[in-house]
Amino acid sequence: MKILQINADRSRRAHDMAYATAQQKGIDIIIASEPNRELIKKPGWISDERGDVAMYFLNRSVQVQGITRGQGILITRMSTFSIFGCYVSPNIAIQDFERYIDLLIGMVTAERRESLILGDFNAKASEWGSPTNDRRGHILLEASAGLNLVVQNTGNEPTFVRREQKSYI
């Protein structure tokens, strides 16, 4: 199964680019953090309660057996595993970030099956390529270690660039 994860920054153009890229590369699922709220109302998209994370299944043979919508969390269940799509705003307090991660870890644990967790946590850690580390990154790494999760992002290229700013999802 091939998955494309993006942060669309609410942009229609980012959605169009993601869709074109997905078709070109044979992607099965697009997972978008900060999707365009109008576009995810169209058929085929599913989203969390706030419209902060959404999934689109290009491969119609992928059978979703269940969906759970939270705030900044969207879970889709297939026959043998679950996919968690996540988004955390960079503007929330660290205590709220910790509560979000605790909730997410509780949900992953409750699944009792293989899980793939994708998202934009607005957290920095060298383990996924960021040149700096922050408190959020530390919290996320501790939670990941507790579940024996493996970071898959190589961080070779920044996933966001604006002027001097760079970040790595």
Side-chain angles (χ1 to χ4, degrees):
M1 182 171 305
K2 294 173 95 177
I3 299 171
L4 173 64
Q5 178 190 348
I6 65 165
N7 182 312
D9 197 27
R10 310 282 182 214
S11 165
R12 283 181 162 281
R13 284 186 180 172
H15 274 264
D16 291 344
M17 178 82 82
Y19 188 78
T21 300
Q23 286 195 315
Q24 178 186 29
K25 295 188 179 266
I27 300 293
D28 299 302
I29 306 168
I30 298 172
I31 299 178
S33 297
E34 291 189 288
N36 180 281
R37 288 199 169 115
E38 290 304 312
L39 289 178
I40 62 171
K41 292 178 184 175
K42 293 186 175 188
W45 283 96
I46 55 173
S47 69
D48 72 315
E49 292 175 354
R50 295 188 306 223
D52 284 341
V53 63
M55 295 185 195
Y56 185 82
F57 292 80
L58 285 93
N59 182 342
R60 301 295 178 211
S61 68
V62 174
Q63 296 195 349
V64 176
Q65 297 181 340
I67 299 169
T68 299
R69 292 173 171 88
Q71 294 189 10
I73 299 173
L74 175 62
I75 308 167
T76 55
R77 291 173 194 85
M78 283 32 134
S79 61
T80 58
F81 68 99
S82 297
I83 299 175
F84 286 72
C86 305
Y87 176 74
V88 182
S89 170
N91 302 316
I92 66 169
I94 195 70
Q95 297 86 354
D96 293 330
F97 181 82
E98 287 175 317
R99 278 192 286 278
Y100 176 93
I101 297 301
D102 287 345
L103 174 67
L104 175 62
I105 296 307
M107 295 172 94
V108 171
T109 303
E111 283 296 296
R112 296 186 181 177
R113 59 198 340 230
E114 295 290 318
S115 295
L116 180 62
I117 303 169
L118 301 140
D120 183 350
F121 294 91
N122 282 295
K124 297 178 176 87
S126 58
E127 282 79 355
W128 51 83
S130 180
T132 60
N133 297 298
D134 66 7
R135 179 81 177 116
R136 287 176 174 227
H138 179 75
I139 292 165
L140 189 55
L141 285 170
E142 279 187 351
S144 299
L147 290 174
N148 294 318
L149 298 178
V150 178
V151 174
Q152 291 295 310
N153 185 12
T154 59
N156 294 335
E157 296 291 327
T159 54
F160 170 82
V161 177
R162 183 184 294 155
R163 293 184 286 289
E164 306 289 317
Q165 290 180 303
K166 293 180 182 176
S167 65
Y168 302 76
I169 291 180

